[in-house]
Amino acid sequence: MRQVKSYFLIFLFSTAIFSCSDDDTPINTDKDSEENPDQGAGENPEDPSQIESRYVVAATPNALEGVADYLLALESLNSGEISLVGNGVEQDGTYRYYIRNNNKFFSLLYGQGNPGAVTTYQLNAMGKLDMISDFQAETVQSFTNMDDEILMTKISRNSTNPFASWYRLDTETSQLVGEGQINTQNIIDNDELAFFTWMTQVGDQVYAPFMSVKACCNDSFGTEYPDQAWIAVYAYPEMQLETIIEDDRTSFIGRYFTSGLGVVENGDIYAFSSAVATTNGEASSTKPSAITRIKAGEEVFDQSYFFNLEEASNGYYMTEQTYVGNGVFVLNMSPVATKGAYTTGKRLAIVNVYDKNLIWVEGMPAESDITNITSQNNYVEDDIVHIGVTTEAGSYIYQIDATTAMATRGIEVKGGTITAISKLDIEE
C-alpha cells in the first residue's frame, strides 16, 4: 500500500479531486441580524471573555424536505426552547454526519453515490460558529478520530471492484495528509468481501470490525457466514494489515455505519453485536445480541467473557452504544422481534460491562411515541448523556444520568428534529 507524500496531496487539493476555497480567510457563517439574529438560545454575555463554550446541536427542519441540518450554538441544554426559524447555520446537501476533534466540529456530507464534502467549524470569541474550511471529498461510510487526525474510509459493496479507499484528515489544517486502498477481497479466507462497519483507535492501531458480504447477486449485504465476528487490525498511519481477530460466539460486530467497539480506561476493548446478519433478505444469524471482550494488550477474544444482552433484557437487542466511562455504556435497545440492519432502538438501558448488569432508563417517552432518537451523535459529560428525542409533541434533548438511570427532559428545538449533539470551547 502506497504512502502518499504531502506535496502530492497539496497538488490533489488544487485539482479536480478536491475543490477548496481560494480564500484562506475564515468564512463567517453569520448572516445579518434580520436573517440570522442568533445561533442559539438566550442572550450572549456582553463581555466576550465570559464565554467559554457552547453546545453544538444539529437539527433537520421539519417544514423542508431534502435539506441538511441547521447547526445551533447553545449555552445550555437543560431547559428552555429554541426555534430553527431565524436561528442557526444553514448547511448544504441533504445528509450530514458529524465528528469532533481538536476543538473543531466536522460536518461530513453523505453524497449518496455522488462526491461528499468536509466542512469544518469552530467557535469565535462571541460564541458563534465560524466555517473555517469546506472542500469536496469522497462520500465515506466510516470516520473515526486517530489522535489529531480523522481517518475516513469509502468502502466497496461491489465484488467487481473490491477496494476500500482511506483518507487521513489533519484536523489542525483541515487538509488530507495521506490516502491509500485496501483490497477487501483479500482480508478473509472466503469468497465474500469484508465490509467495515466502523473503525476505532486502540493505542496506535486501528481496529476495524467488518461483516462478510456477498457484494453481488442482488444480495449485496447478505452473507453465507452470519455467525462469525471479525476485527481487522491495522498499523497507523500506513494502514498495513497486522492481524485478524475472530470469534464464533456472535455475529459481526457493529452494523453498517455504526460503531461496535468501546475502549475502557484500562485498555480493554468491548465488542457489541446486534446479531442482524441476513442471507437473501432473511435474518440468518443464530447467535444472540451480545457483548464480548478483548483484554488490553491481547489480540484474541477473551473466551471467559460473554454478556448475552437478549437474556439480560428479557427479549431486547442492542442497536447502538454510547460510552459514558468506568465500564458504563448507554445502549439503544429494541425488541428482538424488530431486528433489522437499520433499526434504531428507542428504549435506553444502562449497562455496566464489568459486572454484566443492565438497568432500564426511566423517565423517557414510551417507545411507541418516539419518532426519532439520536444514537452515535450523543454528548457525554459528568456521567450525563445528552440524547435527542423526537415525538409528535416536539424534539427535546434529554439528560440521561448514568448513575441513577433517570432521564430528564431539557431544551426543546422547535420546528426541527435533533440529529446530533456536541460541544466546543471558545478558540483563543
Side-chain angles (χ1 to χ4, degrees):
M1 207 161 302
R2 63 189 178 89
Q3 182 73 30
V4 179
K5 297 180 182 291
S6 297
Y7 64 83
F8 183 60
L9 285 166
I10 293 171
F11 172 76
L12 287 180
F13 267 95
S14 64
T15 59
I17 296 178
F18 300 100
S19 57
C20 297
S21 170
D22 293 331
D23 186 0
D24 292 332
T25 305
I27 304 167
N28 192 333
T29 54
D30 294 344
K31 301 179 182 178
D32 60 38
S33 58
E34 292 183 359
E35 293 179 325
N36 189 14
D38 198 356
Q39 290 185 24
E43 295 294 328
N44 289 325
E46 294 183 1
D47 182 1
S49 66
Q50 297 178 23
I51 305 173
E52 296 182 354
S53 62
R54 287 286 186 269
Y55 296 96
V56 179
V57 176
T60 304
N62 295 335
L64 302 174
E65 294 184 0
V67 298
D69 301 333
Y70 280 60
L71 300 179
L72 301 166
L74 306 180
E75 297 178 33
S76 173
L77 302 179
N78 295 333
S79 62
E81 62 183 42
I82 177 69
S83 173
L84 284 189
V85 178
N87 292 304
V89 175
E90 182 180 358
Q91 302 185 95
D92 60 4
T94 303
Y95 297 103
R96 288 274 179 171
Y97 301 94
Y98 307 101
I99 188 168
R100 179 188 183 276
N101 190 316
N102 203 12
N103 198 35
K104 296 172 184 175
F105 187 75
F106 294 85
S107 173
L108 279 61
L109 172 66
Y110 191 86
Q112 295 180 290
N114 298 313
V118 178
T119 310
T120 310
Y121 298 90
Q122 67 181 21
L123 286 180
N124 62 29
M126 296 303 297
K128 296 193 176 185
L129 289 168
D130 281 341
M131 184 198 302
I132 61 172
S133 175
D134 185 30
F135 63 87
Q136 182 175 304
E138 293 285 354
T139 290
V140 298
Q141 291 78 36
S142 169
F143 47 93
T144 192
N145 287 322
M146 292 294 298
D147 294 326
D148 288 339
E149 296 182 352
I150 297 173
L151 174 63
M152 306 182 298
T153 312
K154 179 180 178 66
I155 310 163
S156 173
R157 64 189 76 176
N158 185 344
S159 60
T160 64
N161 182 28
F163 293 95
S165 299
W166 54 265
Y167 308 90
R168 291 170 46 219
L169 175 67
D170 184 331
T171 61
E172 185 65 36
T173 62
S174 292
Q175 294 186 354
L176 298 186
V177 294
E179 68 173 77
Q181 288 189 325
I182 297 170
N183 187 334
T184 58
Q185 205 162 39
N186 295 338
I187 296 176
I188 45 178
D189 188 20
N190 63 30
D191 55 353
E192 298 185 346
L193 299 191
F195 191 97
F196 303 115
T197 56
W198 205 250
M199 294 188 179
T200 299
Q201 179 174 7
V202 179
D204 58 0
Q205 295 173 307
V206 176
Y207 274 50
F210 60 85
M211 47 186 174
S212 179
V213 299
K214 295 179 184 177
C216 71
C217 322
N218 297 316
D219 194 23
S220 292
F221 285 107
T223 182
E224 296 297 332
Y225 308 93
D227 289 336
Q228 185 78 18
W230 300 268
I231 302 173
V233 179
Y234 291 91
Y236 195 81
E238 61 271 20
M239 291 298 290
Q240 182 68 41
L241 180 64
E242 295 189 330
T243 190
I244 303 291
I245 306 173
E246 302 183 37
D247 197 354
D248 61 5
R249 295 175 299 164
T250 70
S251 186
F252 59 80
I253 297 161
R255 301 185 306 164
Y256 176 78
F257 224 96
T258 302
S259 172
L261 295 180
V263 184
V264 301
E265 286 78 2
N266 69 355
D268 288 351
I269 306 161
Y270 288 85
F272 296 79
S273 175
S274 299
V276 291
T278 63
T279 306
N280 298 320
E282 300 291 333
S284 55
S285 178
T286 63
K287 307 297 184 178
S289 177
I291 305 172
T292 51
R293 180 174 67 187
I294 301 169
K295 288 186 176 180
E298 299 184 6
E299 293 183 339
V300 294
F301 279 93
D302 178 3
Q303 296 300 310
S304 70
Y305 185 94
F306 189 82
F307 186 5
N308 187 325
L309 292 172
E310 294 183 16
E311 286 184 355
S313 64
N314 194 25
Y316 279 70
Y317 77 106
M318 65 82 56
T319 62
E320 291 92 2
Q321 51 87 15
T322 300
Y323 187 50
V324 181
N326 297 315
V328 174
F329 292 79
V330 173
L331 303 186
N332 290 67
M333 305 282 286
S334 190
V336 168
T338 69
K339 273 192 181 182
Y342 309 107
T343 301
T344 295
K346 297 175 180 177
R347 190 175 185 187
L348 300 180
I350 307 295
V351 163
N352 187 316
V353 295
Y354 296 160
D355 59 17
K356 301 181 184 177
N357 185 43
L358 184 149
I359 303 174
W360 293 113
V361 173
E362 298 183 5
M364 289 282 290
E367 292 174 75
S368 58
D369 292 338
I370 296 174
T371 58
N372 191 78
I373 186 168
T374 58
S375 52
Q376 294 212 108
N377 286 296
N378 302 322
Y379 184 71
V380 180
E381 59 180 349
D382 301 326
D383 294 329
I384 301 295
V385 184
H386 300 281
I387 292 179
V389 179
T390 303
T391 67
E392 292 297 329
S395 194
Y396 296 85
I397 293 178
Y398 277 74
Q399 283 75 49
I400 312 300
D401 189 330
T403 61
T404 64
M406 292 296 299
T408 303
R409 195 173 76 177
I411 191 170
E412 179 183 8
V413 176
K414 301 182 79 65
T417 297
I418 299 165
T419 58
I421 306 162
S422 189
K423 191 176 185 179
L424 295 176
D425 295 327
I426 296 296
E427 194 67 25
E428 297 181 358

